[in-house]
Structures are given as C-alpha cells and as structure tokens.
Amino acid sequence: MASSQCLENPPTLSPTCGAGTVQEIAGLNTYVTGPSDSKLAILLVSDIFGYEAPLFRKLADKVAAAGFLVMAPDFFYGDPVDLSNPQFDRDAWRKVHTTDKGYEDAKPVIAALKSKGVSAIGAAGFCWGGRVAVKLASTDYIQAAVLLHPSRITVDDINEVKIPVAILGAEIDHITPAEQVKQFGEILSSKSEIDSLVKIFPGVSHGWTVKYKVEDESAVKSAEEAHEDMLNWFTKHVK
C-alpha cells in the first residue's frame, strides 16, 4: 500500500457486475457466487480497491465454475480506496483498514461457511488481501492459501504458516520484490511437512492478476496463467 504500484490501473467499480449476488454474511456485504450446496468453499480477499472490481468478480466466477462456493466480502465496509476523490488520504485509510482487522473479520465469515455445511475452505489474498490470507494460513481455519502479489508480508508471517500455501509473485514488484518472494520460498521449502509453491511471473508488475488491461493480450495471458495456478492449488488441497 505504501507503493504507487498498488494504485496503478485502478478498476472502475461496479456494484452489479458478475454472475453472483451480494448477500450479508457475518455482518459483511459479500459477493457470493457458485453452487450454494457445495461442501468446498473459497474465500477471496481483495486488494485495496475492494470487492466491486469487475476483474476481481470475474475471477470469483471462474473459481465458482470449478465447483467451489466463493465468497468475497467487503472488508472495507463500503470504503475502498477511491483515487477519484481529491480529499482521499492514503495514510488515514490505511490506519482504519488494517489487515489485522481484515483477518478478524474473516473469522466469522469462515464460521458462517462451516455452519452451512462446508467441510473444506481455501483463501486467496490479493495485494492487501495477501496479508489476511497468510495470517489465516497460520491457523486451522482453512485448508490452503494462495497469496497473489501480496503486500506487507514478513518472514515471521511465513514462518507461522501451517497449511499448504502458494505464493504467486511478479518480477516487477516494489512492494514484495521477487528476491523477497524467493526468500519466502526457501523458508517454505524447509518445512517438509507443508506443501508449497512459489512462482515468479516474468515481465509483469504488482497487481497483474486482477488489474490487467483486457486489451493487452500478453497481460491477459499472464493473469490467466496465475488464475489457473491458483485454481489448481485449491483443487489439490481443498477437497
């Protein structure tokens, strides 16, 4: 969030986009898509632009099409980053919308999924959401996690991981540089009891999986490759 890369190519938000519906889950407005009777669920934690970003919801629908019940809560309570507002204060926003609060807010959503009969849950976090997902990965609340161009992840966070985790990083990332992602990979690979995947995508920048330009064929291809990696990880470990 400290870097301008987080703010590049902001989406045009749309409250009605996507094939799913918005429901209130554990007190949070939540984009819900996929079979409601599925025993397998995926929690998607957005970047700073929130759950109304069309490409984010498109990805949620893609995961749902694989048979998962997908929930993408509005962890920002209707207050995502809004660069069109000249009064927008990044630092003030960041103090209100911490990843620690996102982690706490995710717990009752997970509990709601389990009360619906869901037996296995995965979590994917993008940028800001990556920190929420890695914190969940230090618990037994979920069965697998994917961190996509995460921000503000620390070595301590990685050391705490207890479940299968995949980290998909960008070659051009000032927030979580490729070298740092590789370091995380070395830590994870030393945990022989935990399955892990660490992959650096060449030629792409932070945010590429949900903020690509749809007219850029190469960008779309890189994003779709990451989407497939994420889906494969969940298919393998959330069952």
Side-chain angles (χ1 to χ4, degrees):
M1 177 73 209
S3 167
S4 62
Q5 276 191 318
C6 281
L7 306 174
E8 288 172 4
N9 196 28
T12 300
L13 303 184
S14 169
T16 58
C17 66
T21 58
V22 174
Q23 303 172 27
E24 187 173 311
I25 308 291
L28 292 177
N29 286 336
T30 301
Y31 180 71
V32 181
T33 182
S36 60
D37 60 349
S38 178
K39 300 297 183 193
L40 310 176
I42 304 299
L43 178 71
L44 295 186
V45 190
S46 75
D47 64 14
I48 58 177
F49 295 106
Y51 84 136
E52 293 180 349
L55 293 178
F56 176 68
R57 287 195 179 180
K58 182 180 180 182
L59 179 53
D61 292 338
K62 187 175 184 178
V63 175
F68 294 102
L69 171 60
V70 180
M71 292 197 176
D74 176 14
F75 287 108
F76 305 135
Y77 295 84
D79 180 38
V81 163
D82 180 8
L83 299 180
S84 66
N85 175 8
Q87 305 301 316
F88 177 70
D89 184 332
R90 259 197 291 176
D91 291 332
W93 185 92
R94 195 165 62 218
K95 285 174 186 170
V96 173
H97 302 295
T98 66
T99 52
D100 286 344
K101 185 169 191 325
Y103 166 66
E104 293 300 328
D105 285 344
K107 292 180 190 177
V109 176
I110 291 168
L113 282 167
K114 290 181 177 175
S115 73
K116 287 170 59 71
V118 168
S119 57
I121 301 170
F126 305 77
C127 184
W128 181 94
R131 180 91 203 292
V132 175
V134 80
K135 285 176 73 66
L136 289 170
S138 71
T139 72
D140 58 3
Y141 300 144
I142 61 173
Q143 279 62 57
V146 181
L147 320 179
L148 302 97
H149 39 86
S151 65
R152 298 180 175 270
I153 302 285
T154 67
V155 165
D156 286 343
D157 291 328
I158 299 299
N159 278 324
E160 294 292 320
V161 166
K162 294 178 180 172
I163 60 168
V165 64
I167 307 178
L168 307 181
E171 180 184 25
I172 309 157
D173 194 326
H174 306 316
I175 301 154
T176 307
E179 286 308 313
Q180 189 176 24
V181 174
K182 289 173 186 171
Q183 180 189 14
F184 294 160
E186 289 167 7
I187 295 169
L188 290 169
S189 63
S190 71
K191 294 172 176 268
S192 57
E193 74 283 7
I194 297 172
D195 194 12
S196 62
L197 168 71
V198 173
K199 184 172 174 180
I200 308 290
F201 285 70
V204 297
S205 300
H206 180 86
W208 93 96
T209 68
V210 284
K211 293 197 297 177
Y212 54 90
K213 290 182 168 66
V214 293
E215 67 277 8
D216 183 337
E217 198 174 310
S218 174
V220 170
K221 186 177 178 184
S222 290
E224 288 180 344
E225 182 182 340
H227 299 164
E228 286 304 313
D229 288 341
M230 179 183 80
L231 202 47
N232 289 340
W233 193 253
F234 287 141
T235 301
K236 181 179 180 182
H237 293 291
V238 181
K239 57 189 179 182

